[in-house]
Amino acid sequence: PKGRANRLFQTAGVEGTFTIEAADEFEAAATRGGDTWKAYYGQWDAGSGDLSNIKNMQVRDLGTGKYAGSYLITRAGLYSIELKHADMDVTNGIVGAPQFIHSSPFQPAIVLPGKTAQAVSTANPLTIATAGTTMSFVVQPRDLFGNQQAYDTVLPGSPAV
């Protein structure tokens, strides 16, 4: 069968979920389970198209022609999320020749840093200041996983650093 999946964009450290709706070659929705799916993600190099740090995702059969999966990415960056039907290649009937489902791979899947965390954010503190003189310092906000924030302001809901 073919399959369709909802888009897979996420914030670092927040569990992402996805649903696959199995369908046949004529787009008729499956009404029972039993298929096997191969699902994985990896850091994606947009220049070369290469994947690194590939991780498998579990896909659970809901018994209705729908399948649910989840993943947790903690490092911000570009990813490729890939879903394949792993039972049979519908074009030749050979078992064990996985093929990408409709719209897969999902590239780029962009994982953004999470909320700013005071414990891992840094600043270069002032040690000496002269009254009446403009001084400056740099604060580098990071999320709980050490991902560097690249925003001009702190995200809403984040504690002040």
Side-chain angles (χ1 to χ4, degrees):
K2 292 183 178 179
R4 297 178 294 276
N6 51 321
R7 288 291 176 177
L8 308 169
F9 298 103
Q10 200 59 41
T11 300
V14 176
E15 183 180 54
T17 60
F18 60 92
T19 302
I20 299 170
E21 298 175 2
D24 68 15
E25 63 184 299
F26 304 106
E27 304 272 334
T31 58
R32 62 177 190 237
D35 293 317
T36 302
W37 301 88
K38 182 175 183 177
Y40 55 93
Y41 67 87
Q43 289 179 305
W44 181 59
D45 181 321
S48 68
D50 292 339
L51 289 183
S52 60
N53 300 319
I54 297 170
K55 307 285 185 199
N56 289 319
M57 298 183 285
Q58 296 299 314
V59 178
R60 192 174 74 246
D61 187 343
L62 302 178
T64 62
K66 293 182 181 179
Y67 301 81
S70 64
Y71 59 98
L72 181 69
I73 300 174
T74 58
R75 179 62 49 204
L78 296 178
Y79 288 82
S80 177
I81 296 175
E82 305 187 359
L83 305 174
K84 294 181 177 183
H85 184 251
D87 277 349
M88 178 178 67
D89 184 328
V90 295
T91 61
N92 61 24
I94 297 173
V95 175
Q99 67 179 19
F100 286 115
I101 68 168
H102 178 71
S103 299
S104 181
F106 300 94
Q107 297 169 334
I110 301 171
V111 177
L112 296 173
K115 290 183 178 181
T116 300
Q118 289 176 304
V120 292
S121 296
T122 59
N124 62 339
L126 296 173
T127 55
I128 299 174
T130 304
T133 303
T134 302
M135 304 297 291
S136 64
F137 62 96
V138 176
V139 174
Q140 179 54 68
R142 296 181 184 276
D143 71 7
L144 188 60
F145 304 100
N147 295 306
Q148 183 174 318
Q149 299 281 9
Y151 306 107
D152 293 334
T153 58
V154 176
L155 294 173
S158 296
V161 179

